Amino acid sequence: MSAFLTYLLNGLAVGCAIALIASGLVVIHRVTGVVNFAQGTFAVVAGLCASSLLGLGLPHGASELAAVLAAAVAGLLTGLAAVGRPGTTPLSSLIVTLGVGVLAYAVEIVLWGDQPRSAPGLAGSVTVAGARIQTQHLLVIAVTAVAFAALALFFGRTYLGKALTACASNPYAARVVGIDVRRMGLLAFALGGLLGGLAGVLVTPMRPISFDSDVTLIVNGFAAAVFGALTRPVITLAGALLLGVAETMAAGYGYGSHQLEIALGLMLVVMIVQAGRRPAISQEPT
Amino acid sequence: MLAVQGVSRSFGGVYAVRDVTLDVADGEVCGVIGPNGAGKSTLFNLITGHLAAERGEISFLGRRVDRLAPHRRARLGMSIVFQAARVFRGMTVRENVMVGLHGRTSAGFVAAALRLPRHRRDEREIAARADAALDRVGLSEWADRPADQLPIGQQRALQLARALCARPRLLLLDEPASGLRGQERERLAELVEELRAGGLTILLVEHDVAFVTRLADRIVVLDLGRVIADGPPAEVRNDPLVLAAYLGQSA
């Protein structure tokens, strides 16, 4: 029983990290209509930055913060490439984000080499109802909860959030009421970078990260985001937690090498179901 | 107020709008009519900035705007009501009207998220403005409903409220009467008359000749992308070129 509980809690932590990646995908897709395949790259950049900065002797906190900001800048640059030119279709932008992801490999290998890097996180563990859980995992869960609450407040209550939602709903009308749709798109990419970066610095202490870790991250994140039809944050969170728990259970009970297959399988099933219901990625033409 | 000077735009080598010149004076209601395919929508989109002109100049309030993005033109004081339902789904009717005003208030993220007094004051102020605009177009009862649930006529009224809320210098209406039933059409006409009486400058692009004749001070007639007549309704109505264009259409 306590093994089950341990897997469950660890699975929730893994799911939270996936949720952060997925939330970045959702934010960017909601506002710009673009599926951002460079989303995993933001996490990798943040993870590698954090490990380097910590290696240089910067204290915890400052290193992670700087790494997350670096990821936000990476997000902004990706946004400039993908949606910076007015009139780029979401499909072309998608290809651009793929290109950015591949280009990022080269940059990352030059800067950090091709070996996986890790970073120390919070040490120690606590025992909850007979189940041991690492403090780092608790931190991941807490940060994710705060991030999702902040996102909900941001989109639900603030003017900027409303303007972003307006762009997502009807970019044509948004322009007409004086909203700079291009700037909002760039903002969404920066926000996506920030969320991806957050996931990166939290994951790196749990499993070492290398330049090509983005594939695992994006597959998981994409599966969760598709679960929420790429637009609904709460369902995305639920999907991510489900996925995290399923993968950890599989690993715990002896199918550790099949984690990625589980994510892919789930993603396929969800996509088929979503496609049957209605076009998941539908938007009024501009 | 608005000066369109020798503007052209083609699609695949065929001119949709060719060498069109038209002026809208301060306080005037200018109607643009023409048979199907005359280039009305293209001209409208050139003025709002959703299409780029290949040649010619467009000035608004004495300033060149033909290279400005649509949202920049909107901020200068052009408010637009589209024929198609362009509402923001997932928001209430009131939020739909308020969204354009948000950029003009000062309170930041922290103030908004925590509902600080400054944010609440801004919020109250623009909510009051939105409610006044909704009242004006007869949508008060719908204010708290989701915008996508509105029937087509009300969605257009919502766009009109959103446009008025921005306190425009120039109101651009694209086929405002299309798809409206008799009574809705009458209410719209009365509203336009009210706005004109209030001194608002209006450019009305419309298929329905009777509707335009009733409301416009001056009518510009387009046919095959060119201006074929420009003058007061009574004069334009009896213009042989205009009659030929419309008869040719119906034959």
Side-chain angles (χ1 to χ4, degrees), chain B residues 28-78:
Chain B
E28 180 182 50
V29 176
C30 175
V32 175
I33 60 169
N36 280 330
K40 299 190 296 292
S41 290
T42 305
L43 178 61
F44 191 84
N45 285 325
L46 289 170
I47 294 171
T48 61
H50 287 93
L51 278 175
E54 284 158 358
R55 279 202 307 278
E57 290 181 12
I58 300 171
S59 304
F60 178 56
L61 299 169
R63 186 177 159 181
R64 275 288 288 275
V65 295
D66 49 72
R67 303 224 169 259
L68 291 186
H71 69 271
R72 302 280 309 278
R73 300 191 201 191
R75 286 181 196 173
L76 285 175
M78 283 190 190

Side-chain angles (χ1 to χ4, degrees), chain B residues 1-249:
Chain B
M1 167 100 18
L2 178 75
V4 177
Q5 185 68 46
V7 163
S8 298
R9 168 77 198 206
S10 62
F11 296 101
V14 179
Y15 279 98
V17 162
R18 185 163 204 173
D19 199 22
V20 165
T21 294
L22 92 97
D23 283 289
V24 182
D26 218 338
E28 180 182 50
V29 176
C30 175
V32 175
I33 60 169
N36 280 330
K40 299 190 296 292
S41 290
T42 305
L43 178 61
F44 191 84
N45 285 325
L46 289 170
I47 294 171
T48 61
H50 287 93
L51 278 175
E54 284 158 358
R55 279 202 307 278
E57 290 181 12
I58 300 171
S59 304
F60 178 56
L61 299 169
R63 186 177 159 181
R64 275 288 288 275
V65 295
D66 49 72
R67 303 224 169 259
L68 291 186
H71 69 271
R72 302 280 309 278
R73 300 191 201 191
R75 286 181 196 173
L76 285 175
M78 283 190 190
S79 277
I80 303 157
V81 175
F82 289 104
Q83 177 184 10
R86 303 233 181 237
V87 302
F88 302 124
R89 278 164 294 170
M91 293 190 197
T92 66
V93 169
R94 185 184 288 114
E95 284 174 332
N96 253 273
V97 177
M98 285 165 69
V99 80
L101 301 171
H102 287 158
R104 296 157 208 233
T105 56
S106 48
F109 168 58
V110 178
L114 299 177
R115 311 239 141 172
L116 293 181
R118 196 170 88 173
H119 164 75
R120 285 215 300 271
R121 201 183 54 226
D122 283 350
E123 186 88 6
R124 264 202 307 276
E125 198 182 302
I126 60 175
R129 256 169 86 177
D131 283 341
L134 285 172
D135 190 39
R136 188 151 199 196
V137 301
L139 278 183
S140 294
E141 302 152 40
W142 300 77
D144 294 310
R145 303 249 203 123
D148 32 306
Q149 283 180 8
L150 292 181
I152 186 80
Q154 263 89 347
Q155 291 204 3
R156 198 156 306 145
L158 166 56
Q159 286 196 65
L160 194 56
R162 195 163 65 197
L164 292 177
C165 217
R167 297 185 181 152
R169 303 289 305 271
L170 172 67
L171 182 64
L172 297 153
L173 303 171
D174 187 16
E175 308 256 343
S178 73
L180 296 191
R181 291 187 302 270
Q183 204 186 351
E184 291 172 328
R185 186 177 296 230
E186 181 57 31
R187 287 200 55 181
L188 178 71
E190 281 167 12
L191 186 60
V192 172
E193 277 170 346
E194 258 178 64
L195 293 172
R196 178 174 62 175
L200 184 61
T201 311
I202 299 172
L203 181 71
L204 179 64
V205 175
E206 180 57 65
H207 192 73
D208 181 341
V209 179
F211 188 83
V212 177
T213 316
R214 168 179 170 183
L215 295 170
D217 299 310
R218 193 163 58 85
I219 293 181
V220 174
V221 188
L222 286 184
D223 187 35
L224 303 173
R226 292 173 186 276
V227 175
I228 57 166
D230 184 345
E235 195 178 294
V236 163
R237 235 173 160 171
N238 299 317
D239 189 297
L241 274 173
V242 175
L243 289 172
Y246 272 89
L247 285 176
Q249 172 78 10

